[in-house]
Amino acid sequence: MKNDTLLLFLLLFSFTLNAQNNNYVGIYEKKIKSVKNEVFEYELQILSDSTFTFHFFRNLGQSISKDENVYGKGTWKVIKNVIHFVTNANDLDEKHILNFTNSSGRFDGKNKNQFRFYHSEIPWIEKLTLQKVK
């Protein structure tokens, strides 16, 4: 009987934790096009397996400039309604060069479809606000 109660408690705890994490799962984007035809696009995918991917695209709108793509990936966890991102050494490669360790963010208090990084060691990520699209 004692084991059944413990098992039930663990299942309920696991289900609740998983359901809370699913609130964060989705694709978040920001797209900017300037009057000079400069394009900046940010995409963060928060996945249900506690991993994430990030893509930054930039085109400065000049015929001689190339498109720039920068990627990052890693794992995430929620502590007190704050998402904490970690990039381990095995997440870094020739393509995925951004290290999100010590980056964190949360949903905007007024708009639950907006995610804001409020701390990052990547200077242009800090204070970045993204809109949930999926």
Side-chain angles (χ1 to χ4, degrees), residues 67-82:
D67 292 347
E68 179 183 0
N69 290 283
V70 183
Y71 298 89
K73 67 179 179 176
T75 59
W76 63 276
K77 66 181 174 180
V78 178
I79 302 172
K80 296 184 180 181
N81 294 323
V82 175

Side-chain angles (χ1 to χ4, degrees), residues 9 14-15 22-23 27 33-35 42 62 77 79 91 97 103 106 109 122 134:
F9 174 75
S14 175
F15 177 73
N22 284 337
N23 293 336
I27 299 174
K33 186 171 184 178
S34 76
V35 294
Y42 307 84
Q62 301 170 357
K77 66 181 174 180
I79 302 172
D91 295 321
I97 62 171
S103 296
R106 62 178 164 224
I122 306 167
K134 289 185 186 177

Side-chain angles (χ1 to χ4, degrees), residues 15-131:
F15 177 73
T16 302
L17 188 60
N18 197 26
Q20 288 175 348
N21 281 347
N22 284 337
N23 293 336
Y24 301 96
V25 171
I27 299 174
Y28 302 82
E29 294 180 346
K30 182 172 190 168
K31 296 180 180 185
I32 302 167
K33 186 171 184 178
S34 76
V35 294
K36 297 179 182 179
N37 288 328
E38 299 168 324
V39 176
F40 301 89
E41 296 179 0
Y42 307 84
E43 181 184 89
L44 171 67
Q45 291 188 23
I46 299 177
L47 306 170
S48 61
D49 64 355
S50 297
T51 63
F52 74 91
T53 61
F54 183 86
H55 176 224
F56 170 70
F57 169 80
R58 176 171 72 174
N59 181 301
L60 296 179
Q62 301 170 357
S63 60
I64 58 171
S65 72
K66 293 182 181 179
D67 292 347
E68 179 183 0
N69 290 283
V70 183
Y71 298 89
K73 67 179 179 176
T75 59
W76 63 276
K77 66 181 174 180
V78 178
I79 302 172
K80 296 184 180 181
N81 294 323
V82 175
I83 299 179
H84 297 269
F85 298 91
V86 175
T87 299
N88 293 314
N90 61 345
D91 295 321
L92 297 171
D93 55 33
E94 287 184 24
K95 180 179 177 181
H96 300 91
I97 62 171
L98 293 175
N99 186 343
F100 276 81
T101 298
N102 296 323
S103 296
S104 55
R106 62 178 164 224
F107 288 103
D108 187 306
K110 297 175 185 174
N111 184 346
K112 297 297 181 192
N113 287 325
Q114 283 188 342
F115 177 80
R116 179 170 301 152
F117 285 96
Y118 68 87
H119 178 75
S120 181
E121 292 177 1
I122 306 167
W124 50 273
I125 295 289
E126 192 165 274
K127 310 295 184 213
L128 176 65
T129 300
L130 304 169
Q131 185 72 33

